Amino acid sequence: MAFSELIGQNEAKKRLGVSLTGEPGHAFLLVGPSGIGKKTLGREFAKGLLCSHPTENGACGSCPGCHYMQAGTHPDYKELLLPQGEKNIKVADVRSMILSDVGIMSQIAERKVYLIDADGLAEEGQNALLKTLEEPPKHVVFILTVSDESKLLPTILSRTVSIRLLPNTEEEVKEAILRRNPDTLPEEAQLFARFSNGVIGYALNLCESNWLINDWEEVTDLILRMPEISRTELLTEVYSFFDEEKDHFRDILSLMSMVYDEMAICATDSSSVCLHGEEKKDKMVTVIRKNHLDVQKIGKCNAILTTAAKAHKANGNFEIIVCRMLLALKKENMNG
Ligand SMILES: [Zn+2]
C-alpha cells in the first residue's frame, strides 16, 4: 500500500515522503489522538524506509524488502507495542527488543526500523530508551507514536522530529468506513463519520457496535416528542432510558446535540440535506413549525446539554443532572 492509498493525512504523508527520498533522520514522533491511524502510517513509513526503491509516495510494493514487510517477517523491522491488558511496556522488553538489538547490523535492508508505541512507555521505559535515541547507530531509525505528548520526557521530544496527524474530514472518514464495510448505509456512514470527530479508528469501532444507531433513533424520537411529552413521563420512562445508558451518558449528550444541530439547520433551510433521511426530516420540520422553534431556542437546548455534560464531568449526582436537563429542555420546547 502506497501513501496515496491511505486516506487523508496529506501533510504528514508529504513530510514522510520527503524523508524517504532524502536522508531520513533517526527518530520520528507521530502525534495524534487514539484511532487516527498513527501505527498504520508508521508501518507504511517503515516499509518505505526498508524498501529498495522508495518514492515520495512510499514503498514500491514489489522489492524483496516490501514482500517481507507485507508478510510481516522483515528481519530488520521490529514493533514494540503495549501488550493488551498491560498498563506499561516493561523496561525489560525495551532492553531486550531494542537496546540489545540496535547494535546488530541489518540483514536485508540498509537500515533497521523500530516502531514504538510511546503511550505505553512510562518514565522508566523512556529513560531506558533515551541514550540510544540521543546517539543512535547510523543504520537505525525509530518511529515513535504517541497520543499524549505531555507524558513524554522533554528530552525524548527534543530528540525526535514530530509529525502531527490531524483529524480527518467527514468525507474521508465516510470513505474509510465504506471501504472497510461496503454494506453500510450511506446515511449511517455519515452519522458514524460525524460522531467520530475525524478519527477513523473510532468510526470503524462504532460501525461494529449497534449502540450508536439505536441511541440515535431513541434520542431523535425523544427530541421530536419533547413538546408533547408530559413531565411525569419525562421523569419516569425517559429518565430510565438515561439511567440504562448511564455508562455513555456523555456520548448520548453529544448525539442529542447533533440532533439539535440538525434541527437548527432545518429551521433555517428546510430544503437542506439531513442526516436523518427524508421521512424523519419532514417530521422534524413539522415539529419546528408547530412549536415555533427557532435557531435561538435550539441554541438554548444545546447550552442545556453542555451544562449537563459539565456537571456530569464534575461528578454531580446523576439523577439530579438528568432530571434538571430534561425539565429545562421541556421548558425550552414549550409551545409559543
Ligand atoms: Zn520496495
Side-chain angles (χ1 to χ4, degrees):
M1 198 179 356
F3 281 160
S4 54
E5 286 169 57
L6 295 175
I7 293 168
Q9 305 305 344
N10 293 333
E11 190 55 38
K13 289 191 294 198
K14 202 166 139 194
R15 288 184 62 193
L16 296 175
V18 170
S19 295
L20 286 180
T21 48
E23 189 55 43
H26 284 289
F28 294 82
L29 179 67
L30 303 181
V31 189
S34 174
I36 198 87
K38 299 182 293 293
K39 286 188 195 79
T40 308
L41 183 60
R43 286 183 188 122
E44 212 42 50
F45 179 49
K47 194 172 160 194
L49 288 167
L50 297 168
C51 170
S52 313
H53 317 287
T55 66
E56 286 195 356
N57 191 23
C60 76
S62 53
C63 71
C66 283
H67 286 305
Y68 281 116
M69 277 304 271
Q70 265 142 238
T73 54
H74 203 302
D76 300 323
Y77 175 69
K78 283 203 168 69
E79 287 187 358
L80 184 57
L81 306 179
L82 180 65
Q84 208 146 33
E86 299 279 325
K87 252 181 109 184
N88 293 306
I89 294 171
K90 291 192 182 75
V91 179
D93 291 340
V94 177
R95 295 212 173 93
S96 64
M97 280 187 63
I98 313 246
L99 305 186
S100 56
D101 191 69
V102 286
I104 304 167
M105 276 313 292
S106 56
Q107 293 182 42
I108 304 175
E110 280 175 38
R111 51 177 78 98
K112 294 175 84 156
V113 180
Y114 299 90
L115 180 79
I116 303 171
D117 175 8
D119 282 313
L121 290 177
E123 199 171 325
E124 213 186 343
Q126 294 180 39
N127 272 319
L129 192 63
L130 197 56
K131 201 171 175 309
T132 313
L133 265 187
E134 280 173 341
E135 290 164 20
K138 272 202 168 62
H139 64 281
V140 168
V141 178
F142 290 106
I143 305 168
L144 277 66
T145 62
V146 76
S147 53
D148 185 359
E149 278 172 291
S150 70
K151 295 210 175 116
L152 293 184
L153 297 170
T155 31
I156 297 259
L157 291 173
S158 68
R159 300 294 169 202
T160 50
V161 176
S162 145
I163 293 177
R164 205 163 284 278
L165 277 70
L166 301 173
N168 289 97
T169 64
E170 215 168 283
E171 279 312 301
E172 286 168 349
V173 180
K174 198 176 158 187
E175 191 189 337
I177 293 170
L178 293 173
R179 211 185 261 190
R180 175 84 71 92
N181 308 297
D183 295 336
T184 313
L185 296 172
E187 62 268 27
E188 290 187 1
Q190 188 84 36
L191 173 65
F192 294 138
R194 187 160 308 170
F195 193 74
S196 70
N197 286 323
V199 178
I200 290 178
Y202 183 40
L204 293 174
N205 279 343
L206 289 172
C207 273
E208 278 159 28
S209 69
N210 289 327
W211 77 263
L212 184 70
I213 294 291
N214 293 342
D215 285 355
W216 173 248
E217 296 281 334
E218 190 85 31
V219 300
T220 302
D221 285 338
L222 167 65
I223 287 173
L224 293 182
R225 282 196 309 131
M226 193 62 91
E228 263 83 54
I229 231 163
S230 74
R231 283 168 157 258
T232 320
E233 200 184 333
L234 267 186
L235 300 179
T236 53
E237 281 159 52
V238 177
Y239 173 75
S240 49
F241 161 72
F242 283 91
D243 196 41
E244 276 160 32
E245 301 292 313
K246 219 176 196 161
D247 290 344
H248 45 237
F249 177 57
R250 267 180 270 159
D251 288 330
I252 305 268
L253 293 181
S254 307
L255 275 178
M256 290 175 77
S257 173
M258 279 167 60
V259 177
Y260 280 120
D261 287 344
E262 290 274 288
M263 279 182 104
I265 297 170
C266 281
T268 30
D269 174 12
S270 56
S271 66
S272 59
V273 181
C274 182
L275 258 184
H276 282 88
E278 282 307 309
E279 198 186 319
K280 275 269 160 60
K281 186 183 137 180
D282 290 344
K283 203 170 165 199
M284 201 174 254
V285 172
T286 313
V287 171
I288 291 168
R289 290 202 179 130
K290 195 173 157 203
N291 298 284
H292 310 287
L293 295 174
D294 55 22
V295 175
Q296 259 172 343
K297 274 193 173 184
I298 296 169
K300 280 187 193 158
C301 294
N302 261 331
I304 293 166
L305 299 178
T306 311
T307 308
K310 274 188 194 152
H312 185 252
K313 214 171 181 177
N315 289 321
N317 178 294
F318 184 76
E319 193 174 347
I320 295 177
I321 294 169
V322 175
C323 293
R324 261 194 201 148
M325 172 189 84
L326 291 172
L327 293 175
L329 289 174
K330 170 79 191 153
K331 204 174 152 204
E332 229 28 82
N333 278 266
M334 300 271 232
N335 211 331

